[in-house]
Amino acid sequence: MTTPELGLPMAVPADGLPARVRIHEVGARDGLQNEKATVPTRTKAEFIHRLAAAGLTTIEATSFVHPKWVPQLADAEQLFPLVRDLGDLSGTALPVLVPNEKGLDRALALGATRIAVFASATESFAKANLNRTVDESLAMFEPVVARARTHGAHVRGYLSMCFGDPWEGPVPVPQVVRVCRALLDMGCDELSLGDTIGVATPGHVSALLTALNDQHVPTSALGVHFHDTYGQALSNTLAALQHGVTTVDASAGGLGGCPFAKSATGNLATEDLVWMLTGLGIDTGVDLGLLTATSVWMAEQLGRPSPSRTVRALSHKE
Amino acid sequence: MTTPELGLPMAVPADGLPARVRIHEVGARDGLQNEKATVPTRTKAEFIHRLAAAGLTTIEATSFVHPKWVPQLADAEQLFPLVRDLGDLSGTALPVLVPNEKGLDRALALGATRIAVFASATESFAKANLNRTVDESLAMFEPVVARARTHGAHVRGYLSMCFGDPWEGPVPVPQVVRVCRALLDMGCDELSLGDTIGVATPGHVSALLTALNDQHVPTSALGVHFHDTYGQALSNTLAALQHGVTTVDASAGGLGGCPFAKSATGNLATEDLVWMLTGLGIDTGVDLGLLTATSVWMAEQLGRPSPSRTVRALSHKE
């Protein structure tokens, strides 16, 4: 056990957990995309720099989808150079979401070196989100992934609805494994297993990771992306860590979920995750104080408090 | 895997977890004691009956402390008979908190068969809460526990500040083990290990439970009582379940923590716990729909929404 600094839990490692976890910070993209308020480009760029200063090494920056679908991120073309103008972030990975080849072209033209595609494990969500079947969407991603790799870009495949789907209910594990396999086979370097509606529980997480392991999917290629809709994100994360997962998605301050909405469907808050990992003695490289200050600042920009319990507890103390 | 009913997670058991968990419901005592609003006695009695109808089998009813200290529960004498008047709860355990022999006399006079005492693992909190040293408070509880047992009452020993203390910081595990041992030796049937300020993380929980096991404290005598101050309560609960703990304290709707306070220091919400346990295929006997409806009803009595994420998500769906 190590003595904690002020505002940090005592570090007491647990058996069988990784020594280090890479947090894939999604607040600037997945978070802001789901906020009602549209944030000025300059604020977004400053947000990304503050996240990097807090020690986050992978910060998903924006999305090159059509502005008609995601007006909050319509400024991707302006944001990307502005982030560079504000200072050197060469040590920070700045992946961007691209929906198709046109989006890829825009991202590559701006010098993006890490891209992400967004697939669905269920037919209902593929239809609703992409207006395609699962296999049609995989066929659409294939040239995107191939061309990205030709340009030397790292490719992440998001897979949504890995546990439950609002139309179909529980999602069978083999169905998820099949799409994971297809995304890896087409050249994705890493997958992000998404519990888009937040219904997963630790045994379900464990069952999916076991099945992927049985199919020889390397755990090092897997990230987990949990939502706190039912408050389950951290216990699911613990189950994933116990299976050797070392990449965890989270959103600074829990951006993307409104604390006053009846249904708080937000992402896992990065601060709540860092609290648990710090307590487990797992290195993240993140300064929780700086990160909390960043989320308090962003909450002020959005005009509403952060839904993160850790942000509220720590900012109350200050 | 079993197919879920509407509004329930898919049940996917995980290895090494208990088949059944007893939830010790603290909303009516620990929850209401920490709410600003004072609830009418009749509403409290109805709340307890609704909790029992939702399947909770252990419902801490009230506290026999001096009304000067806890005015919210000053009606203990009136509540206890009123609960009986509203209907038969003979199948439901209704423990009550007693601070000293005078409180015990009041509780026994009303026919209480389960009592609880409230001890501290740290000197600072013993001084602040009981105006005694830890050993002086143990000496005070000794005749309370002995007399309760003479009357055939079941005795629970709450132990607060088992992980961190606001004045002392991290609490050494051996210090907690010593007080646990003393409470069991004086005759407590069960202990509730409290993370009063919510700073625990799963490795710390595991370390304490391992140390207690090493000192031959039977896991069957241990309950855990986690707070969601930093959002860690469910991952800590998962760690405790992995150590064989089968008694978990929770507060319906997360009563006792205000969702609008900067610092949400509330108890773990029973609904968030039931969601996880249901998903793990662990039997609790609780009907999540009835329980959620109860918490929505109580939130209306208090004039503010429940801080439970599960309550918000499920009540939004209805």
Side-chain angles (χ1 to χ4, degrees), chain B residues 36-318:
Chain B
K36 273 187 186 165
T38 299
V39 173
T41 311
R42 172 87 197 185
T43 305
K44 290 176 184 169
E46 187 176 344
F47 183 43
I48 290 168
H49 273 270
R50 281 176 177 251
L51 293 170
L56 289 155
T57 53
T58 307
I59 303 170
E60 198 158 303
T62 187
S63 171
F64 288 91
V65 298
H66 195 285
K68 182 174 149 192
W69 304 117
V70 184
Q72 293 93 335
L73 303 183
D75 58 355
E77 242 90 24
Q78 293 74 49
L79 175 65
F80 221 67
L82 186 57
V83 168
R84 287 201 186 119
D85 288 350
L86 285 188
D88 180 34
L89 286 186
S90 53
T92 311
L94 297 172
V96 295
L97 193 71
V98 302
N100 49 33
E101 288 193 84
K102 192 166 160 29
L104 176 68
D105 291 336
R106 292 169 61 203
L108 291 175
L110 289 165
T113 57
R114 293 176 82 102
I115 66 129
V117 296
F118 195 84
S120 168
T122 67
E123 295 294 343
S124 301
F125 189 63
K127 183 76 187 167
N129 196 45
L130 304 165
N131 198 29
R132 281 169 173 79
T133 66
V134 168
D135 285 337
E136 284 166 359
S137 64
L138 292 173
M140 175 178 74
F141 293 133
E142 202 155 349
V144 178
V145 175
R147 284 188 46 217
R149 286 175 62 88
T150 306
H151 284 81
H154 177 278
V155 182
R156 159 175 263 227
Y158 278 104
L159 189 57
S160 53
M161 306 296 173
C162 287
F163 300 93
D165 172 290
W167 301 277
E168 300 179 20
V171 179
V173 165
Q175 180 176 327
V176 181
V177 172
R178 184 185 78 87
V179 187
C180 285
R181 195 69 265 172
L183 287 167
L184 289 169
D185 288 348
M186 76 170 68
C188 285
D189 297 285
E190 145 183 316
L191 300 181
S192 169
L193 306 170
D195 180 21
T196 317
I197 59 171
V199 297
T201 45
H204 199 165
V205 172
S206 184
L208 176 57
L209 292 170
T210 300
L212 286 166
N213 192 254
D214 290 347
Q215 294 299 312
H216 312 293
V217 171
T219 307
S220 60
L222 298 175
V224 287
H225 184 112
F226 294 121
H227 278 205
D228 240 346
T229 320
Y230 299 87
Q232 310 294 312
L234 272 188
S235 49
N236 290 336
T237 301
L238 180 60
L241 297 175
Q242 290 172 339
H243 273 266
V245 169
T246 58
T247 299
V248 181
D249 295 6
S251 174
L255 278 177
C258 176
F260 297 128
K262 268 186 163 179
S263 172
T265 53
N267 288 296
L268 168 60
T270 312
E271 289 84 353
D272 296 9
L273 172 64
V274 170
W275 186 278
M276 183 174 83
L277 295 176
T278 303
L280 287 164
I282 296 174
D283 182 25
T284 63
V286 174
D287 182 313
L288 186 57
L290 284 178
L291 180 61
T292 299
T294 298
S295 291
V296 169
W297 168 82
M298 181 48 88
E300 284 163 6
Q301 312 301 312
L302 293 167
R304 58 132 187 94
S306 163
S308 161
R309 293 189 190 261
T310 299
V311 169
R312 280 189 273 166
L314 288 179
S315 58
H316 184 59
K317 277 184 186 163
E318 277 161 8

Side-chain angles (χ1 to χ4, degrees), chain A:
Chain A
M1 300 183 191
T2 50
T3 309
E5 295 171 52
L6 195 67
L8 288 179
M10 179 157 72
V12 189
D15 289 342
L17 297 189
R20 192 177 161 76
V21 159
R22 183 172 64 83
I23 296 175
H24 185 105
E25 169 60 44
V26 300
R29 197 277 301 167
D30 192 8
L32 292 183
Q33 156 177 346
N34 289 297
E35 292 286 339
K36 273 187 185 164
T38 298
V39 173
T41 311
R42 172 88 196 184
T43 305
K44 290 176 184 169
E46 188 176 343
F47 182 44
I48 289 167
H49 274 269
R50 280 176 177 250
L51 292 169
L56 288 155
T57 54
T58 307
I59 303 169
E60 198 159 301
T62 187
S63 171
F64 288 91
V65 298
H66 196 284
K68 182 174 149 193
W69 304 117
V70 185
Q72 292 92 335
L73 304 182
D75 58 355
E77 241 90 25
Q78 292 75 48
L79 175 66
F80 221 67
L82 185 57
V83 168
R84 287 201 186 120
D85 289 350
L86 286 188
D88 180 35
L89 286 186
S90 53
T92 310
L94 297 171
V96 295
L97 194 70
V98 302
N100 48 34
E101 288 194 85
K102 192 165 159 34
L104 177 69
D105 290 337
R106 292 168 62 203
L108 291 174
L110 289 165
T113 58
R114 292 175 83 100
I115 65 129
V117 296
F118 195 84
S120 168
T122 66
E123 295 294 345
S124 301
F125 190 63
K127 183 75 187 168
N129 196 46
L130 304 164
N131 199 26
R132 281 169 173 79
T133 66
V134 168
D135 285 338
E136 284 167 359
S137 65
L138 291 174
M140 174 178 73
F141 293 135
E142 201 154 349
V144 177
V145 175
R147 285 187 45 218
R149 287 175 60 91
T150 307
H151 283 80
H154 177 279
V155 182
R156 158 175 263 228
Y158 278 105
L159 189 56
S160 53
M161 306 296 173
C162 287
F163 300 92
D165 172 290
W167 300 277
E168 301 179 19
V171 180
V173 165
Q175 181 175 326
V176 181
V177 172
R178 184 186 79 87
V179 188
C180 284
R181 194 70 265 173
L183 287 166
L184 289 169
D185 288 347
M186 77 170 66
C188 285
D189 297 285
E190 146 184 316
L191 300 181
S192 169
L193 306 170
D195 180 20
T196 316
I197 59 170
V199 297
T201 44
H204 199 166
V205 172
S206 185
L208 176 57
L209 292 170
T210 300
L212 286 165
N213 192 253
D214 290 346
Q215 295 299 312
H216 312 293
V217 172
T219 308
S220 59
L222 298 175
V224 287
H225 184 112
F226 294 121
H227 278 204
D228 241 345
T229 320
Y230 298 88
Q232 309 295 312
L234 271 188
S235 49
N236 290 336
T237 301
L238 180 60
L241 298 175
Q242 289 172 339
H243 272 266
V245 169
T246 59
T247 299
V248 181
D249 296 6
S251 175
L255 277 177
C258 176
F260 297 127
K262 268 187 166 178
S263 173
T265 53
N267 288 297
L268 169 59
T270 312
E271 289 85 352
D272 296 8
L273 172 64
V274 170
W275 186 278
M276 183 174 83
L277 296 176
T278 303
L280 287 165
I282 295 173
D283 182 25
T284 63
V286 174
D287 182 312
L288 186 56
L290 283 178
L291 180 59
T292 299
T294 298
S295 291
V296 169
W297 168 82
M298 180 48 88
E300 284 163 6
Q301 313 300 311
L302 293 168
R304 57 130 189 98
S306 162
S308 160
R309 294 190 190 260
T310 299
V311 168
R312 280 189 273 168
L314 289 178
S315 59
H316 183 59
K317 278 183 186 164
E318 276 161 8

